[in-house]
Amino acid sequence: MDVLTRRRFLVASGVVGATALAGGAAAYRLNDLLATAGDRDPEARTLVLVTLYGGNDGLNTVVPYADPAYRDARPDLAYAAEDVLRLDDGFGLNPALPGLHRAYGTGRLAVVRGVGYPKPDRSHFRSMDIWQTAQPDRPGTTGWLGRWLDRAGGDPRLAVSFEPALPPLLAGERGAGASVPVSDRETAPQLGAETLTALAAAAPDDSPARARAAACFADLRAVDAMVGQVRATPAGEEAEDDGETAPATATGGARASLDAQLDLVARCVEAAVTTRVFSVSLGGFDTHADEKQLQQVLLGQLDGALTRFADRMARTEAGRKVVVAVYSEFGRRVRANASDGTDHGTASNVLLLGAPVDGGLYGEPPSLTDLDDGDLKHTTDFRDVYATVLERVLDTDPGAILSDWRGRLTGVL
């Protein structure tokens, strides 16, 4: 099989990102990460970044239930005071988040309100570019964690994505993080085991490019086998996968369930691999219609996966050094639309979860009446969150990565 045909097969099958092949990047598997077990500083913290693709409605996640402007703006979507999981006399969590509510009660969940950036953009792709590059004026070609990786030595295994393709946030100037996709993949019926084995085997006369493409496919077949073993793990020792989730949408999100992604993160943390950053995701938050039920389902998946992961991390010393950060590319507009949904908005919440977190409410809640063309005005710059994470979790100078940004969140870590 010639290089072009093999490449087209791999890309069309969804078994490896087109970017990785085009750049000649090697595919990684779980064993490549586990080979680094014991190499990391036992005092080092780990960042797990959870991206909610589609624009999660922040006002119905952290609910300003006591504000009459909230009910006036979305009478059919608003939650009543008796339905929310109260954080204080003014705010509560969506009823689908009981696990995160318990974490808040034990001081392990911080809710950062009003997070955004100047001159917000309502395009999914433009706004996600801004969040992932941390360059709101003009998104560049490197991600904020990719720039951290460049400074940390460039080993791709230091920053790992368990998503279908490497997210831009892990792309650096000199290299990029490792992508280990775990999504289910179906092969056309006419491609039997013998054919697949041949695709994964380099012939003696193959060029280096052909051999590299074959190695990519072989590695990813190994990942498939590994994921099968994960799902076959007997109940009792570790949490089981809750079941299938919707495939990735046009606005992003991994095809594998968040449970499956976080299970692999947990295995890596428990093995003390060298990885300092993990990227996982959940999609489907573009709730233009019939939002209330759909968002509850998605937030329920998020809550269940994060709660199981946090409980598991609490059992080990390495796990107690993990910080989870949850964000979305934007929130939704304050006023509901005519389809019982909400349209693209601006500022929203960032959640920080883990033993190193000093839980509570952070950031000034945006006004629901003093709006910018119907949108919330952000009160916390997202670079404040990034700078704090870089400094307190990844032990690095944020200035070199965030263009000398000076803002910080005080006391959260």
Side-chain angles (χ1 to χ4, degrees):
M1 178 179 288
D2 63 69
V3 176
L4 184 59
T5 304
R6 191 194 297 268
R7 179 173 300 191
R8 282 177 175 166
F9 171 80
L10 293 173
V11 172
S13 301
V15 296
V16 68
T19 302
L21 277 179
Y28 283 83
R29 55 186 180 179
L30 187 62
N31 285 344
D32 295 319
L33 306 182
L34 296 178
T36 70
D39 288 352
R40 66 179 293 158
D41 178 353
E43 298 302 315
R45 288 176 171 176
T46 301
L47 173 65
V48 179
L49 195 64
V50 182
T51 303
L52 305 181
Y53 284 102
N56 179 44
D57 184 2
L59 289 177
N60 271 12
T61 301
V62 181
V63 182
Y65 68 88
D67 190 336
Y70 165 67
R71 295 187 299 275
D72 291 344
R74 42 173 71 186
D76 294 327
L77 287 183
Y79 286 94
E82 60 269 23
D83 293 331
V84 303
L85 305 171
R86 295 196 180 196
L87 302 177
D88 65 8
D89 291 337
F91 291 85
L93 292 181
N94 187 288
L97 300 172
L100 291 182
H101 186 248
R102 287 193 297 272
Y104 185 89
T106 58
R108 294 182 295 123
L109 176 70
V111 178
V112 189
R113 299 170 294 185
V115 184
Y117 55 86
K119 299 179 181 178
D121 195 297
R122 295 195 192 103
S123 161
H124 289 293
F125 307 105
R126 175 76 173 184
S127 190
M128 189 56 75
D129 281 347
I130 289 170
W131 272 88
Q132 297 207 3
T133 63
Q135 296 168 322
D137 295 332
R138 186 178 181 182
T141 57
T142 61
W144 67 282
L145 288 171
R147 298 193 293 275
W148 166 81
L149 180 64
D150 283 341
R151 294 179 61 83
D155 185 342
R157 294 171 297 181
L158 287 172
V160 171
S161 169
F162 288 122
E163 298 170 87
L166 194 74
L169 70 95
L170 298 186
E173 184 69 34
R174 299 186 294 275
S179 180
V180 182
V182 298
S183 54
D184 291 328
R185 292 177 288 276
E186 294 180 358
T187 313
Q190 65 269 27
L191 296 174
E194 182 177 343
T195 303
L196 293 174
T197 300
L199 282 167
D205 59 344
D206 266 356
S207 68
R210 292 185 183 185
R212 184 169 63 248
C216 285
F217 191 43
D219 283 345
L220 285 155
R221 289 195 73 201
V223 170
D224 275 337
M226 176 269 296
V227 171
Q229 293 172 0
V230 169
R231 290 178 175 163
T233 301
E237 294 183 6
E238 297 171 356
E240 290 185 328
D241 186 359
D242 266 359
E244 296 181 358
T245 59
T249 66
T251 52
R255 293 177 181 87
S257 74
L258 187 58
D259 258 323
Q261 296 171 72
L262 288 175
D263 180 74
L264 296 186
V265 173
R267 288 172 179 246
C268 290
V269 170
E270 290 162 352
V273 302
T274 193
T275 308
R276 297 289 305 278
V277 174
F278 294 94
S279 174
V280 298
S281 65
L282 178 65
F285 286 90
D286 197 19
T287 50
H288 288 281
D290 301 321
E291 175 186 307
K292 202 167 188 179
Q293 182 177 1
L294 173 58
Q295 191 197 27
Q296 278 201 21
V297 170
L298 292 168
L299 291 180
Q301 292 174 7
L302 176 70
D303 184 77
L306 287 180
T307 300
R308 284 184 283 274
F309 178 75
D311 289 347
R312 183 171 171 180
M313 291 297 92
R315 300 176 199 148
T316 65
E317 190 62 31
R320 288 189 286 273
K321 292 183 172 62
V322 172
V323 174
V324 180
V326 184
Y327 78 101
S328 193
E329 67 261 40
F330 45 59
R332 316 296 291 189
R333 289 177 73 79
V334 175
R335 188 164 296 280
N337 61 29
S339 302
D340 292 327
T342 51
D343 298 323
H344 301 175
T346 54
S348 191
N349 316 289
V350 170
L351 306 180
L352 298 173
L353 174 69
V357 174
D358 188 2
L361 293 171
Y362 292 83
E364 187 70 21
S367 170
L368 300 189
T369 55
D370 179 17
L371 303 176
D372 180 11
D373 190 25
D375 280 324
L376 298 174
K377 297 178 181 178
H378 80 280
T379 58
T380 301
D381 195 291
F382 75 129
R383 288 165 291 185
D384 291 359
V385 180
Y386 288 175
T388 305
V389 166
L390 286 165
E391 191 171 76
R392 305 293 294 169
V393 179
L394 299 179
D395 308 308
T396 196
D397 175 19
I401 295 162
L402 301 176
S403 302
D404 291 322
W405 186 256
R406 301 298 180 185
R408 302 288 189 277
L409 294 177
T410 303
V412 69
L413 291 171

